[in-house]
């Protein structure tokens, strides 16, 4: 019976990795669609978001069933609670990808990226894809060095997000109202995508340490402790 129970826990973690991999595909396609006005690619992202949602719901149902039937405690309970919280964040990351793709589709055949901000948004897109790939590795391996990498990359996204607002609020900004709205919305979607990844990273640190209140500075400390434990 315990072997079946632990197999269920492993299956939960495998499902999280599967969803994270789909989110990586989604954000990669969405940011490319946004940068190149590829409406076909944008449509793929929008259509495929339903799959991410379905997998997240199925994972939540499995986690709730484990809680009801097995009444796990200690680390086993942390695994189930973490899976529930992480699936919610992954689902929201998929939504952020979809929102970016929707902007690309809405402005087609015109470019959704306002003039003067292409480099910024291309870089934000690259960072979000990198963050998503790193997140999948974190969930796959539970190696906390990946959590620290996500935190650092999120700082870079935050800086770019702030630079977009500085640009559109400056006296030199010549963009029309539509361009201003597009820029602020797209920047917010990129920034929120990265924020949800950090939230997932914190939950994985919680799984490793048992400390529910994880601040960003606690991630680096958890990495050090994990490395010492493996030494």
């Amino acid at each position: 019976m315990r072997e079946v129970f632990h197999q269920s826990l492993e299956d939960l973690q495998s499902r999280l990795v599967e969803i994270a991999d789909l989110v990586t595909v989604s954000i990669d396609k969405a940011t490319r669609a946004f940068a190149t006005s590829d409406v076909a690619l944008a449509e793929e992202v929008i259509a495929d978001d339903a799959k991410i949602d379905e997998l997240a719901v199925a994972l939540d149902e499995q986690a709730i069933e484990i809680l009801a039937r097995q009444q796990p405690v200690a680390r086993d309970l942390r695994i189930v609670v973490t899976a529930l919280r992480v699936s919610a964040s992954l689902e929201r990351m998929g939504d952020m990808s979809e929102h970016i793709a929707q902007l690309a589709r809405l402005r087609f055949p015109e470019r959704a990226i306002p003039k003067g901000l292409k480099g910024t948004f291309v870089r934000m897109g690259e960072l979000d894809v990198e963050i998503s790939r790193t997140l999948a590795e974190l969930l796959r391996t539970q190696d906390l060095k990946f959590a620290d990498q996500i935190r650092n990359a999120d700082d870079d996204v935050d800086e770019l997000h702030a630079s977009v607002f500085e640009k559109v609020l400056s006296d030199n900004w010549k963009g029309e109202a539509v361009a201003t709205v597009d820029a602020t919305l797209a920047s917010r979607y990129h920034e929120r995508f990265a924020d949800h990844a950090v939230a997932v990273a914190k939950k994985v640190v919680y799984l490793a340490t048992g400390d529910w209140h994880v601040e960003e500075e606690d991630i680096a400390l958890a990495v050090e402790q994990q490395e010492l434990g493996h030494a």
Side-chain angles (χ1 to χ4, degrees):
M1 192 67 178
R2 294 298 296 174
E3 185 176 338
V4 173
F5 170 54
H6 284 292
Q7 181 59 49
S8 296
L9 294 180
E10 290 177 9
D11 187 47
L12 271 185
Q13 292 172 297
S14 295
R15 287 185 175 211
L16 286 176
V17 174
E18 180 185 4
I19 298 171
D21 285 338
L22 288 177
V23 168
T24 299
V25 172
S26 180
I27 190 63
D28 179 52
K29 287 183 176 180
T31 53
R32 285 191 285 125
F34 188 69
T36 63
S37 297
D38 188 332
V39 71
L41 204 55
E43 293 284 5
E44 286 182 25
V45 174
I46 295 165
D48 291 346
D49 185 61
K51 179 64 174 177
I52 294 173
D53 294 345
E54 289 170 8
L55 289 174
V57 169
L59 184 148
D60 290 350
E61 289 174 348
Q62 182 183 359
I64 291 169
E65 183 176 353
I66 290 173
L67 287 172
R69 290 179 178 273
Q70 303 294 339
Q71 297 181 345
V73 296
R75 178 176 169 79
D76 292 341
L77 178 60
R78 294 209 304 270
I79 290 173
V80 180
V81 171
T82 298
L84 284 166
R85 297 294 297 272
V86 168
S87 70
S89 290
L90 290 174
E91 189 271 334
R92 289 299 296 148
M93 290 171 74
D95 288 345
M96 294 302 104
S97 296
E98 183 184 18
H99 292 339
I100 293 168
Q102 286 171 336
L103 275 178
R105 182 178 66 176
L106 179 64
R107 297 303 168 214
F108 181 80
E110 301 298 325
R111 287 282 179 94
I113 299 179
K115 190 175 296 184
L117 286 171
K118 182 175 180 180
T120 299
F121 277 108
V122 167
R123 182 56 185 151
M124 288 181 83
E126 291 171 348
L127 284 168
D128 275 352
V129 172
E130 175 189 325
I131 285 170
S132 193
R133 287 177 179 152
T134 305
L135 183 61
E137 283 304 304
L138 173 63
L139 293 171
R140 188 175 285 112
T141 66
Q142 294 185 24
D143 186 334
L144 298 185
K145 73 181 181 186
F146 294 121
D148 203 34
Q149 290 174 14
I150 290 167
R151 179 184 62 84
N152 290 333
D154 175 62
D155 289 342
D156 293 336
V157 173
D158 287 344
E159 288 182 10
L160 290 170
H161 177 55
S163 75
V164 170
F165 275 76
E166 289 176 6
K167 178 82 171 179
V168 300
L169 292 174
S170 72
D171 293 336
N172 295 326
W173 176 248
K174 304 301 180 183
E176 297 179 357
V178 169
T180 303
V181 171
D182 285 350
T184 52
L185 281 177
S187 184
R188 179 61 172 164
Y189 297 149
H190 282 86
E191 186 262 347
R192 288 301 298 153
F193 184 94
D195 280 352
H196 282 296
V198 172
V200 172
K202 289 180 179 180
K203 297 303 178 293
V204 177
V205 172
Y206 157 70
L207 179 59
T209 65
D211 184 359
W212 182 252
H213 299 289
V214 178
E215 302 297 337
E216 292 196 17
E217 57 269 20
D218 296 329
I219 295 176
L221 179 59
V223 173
E224 292 178 10
Q225 291 174 339
Q226 187 181 66
E227 289 175 347
L228 287 172
H230 291 164

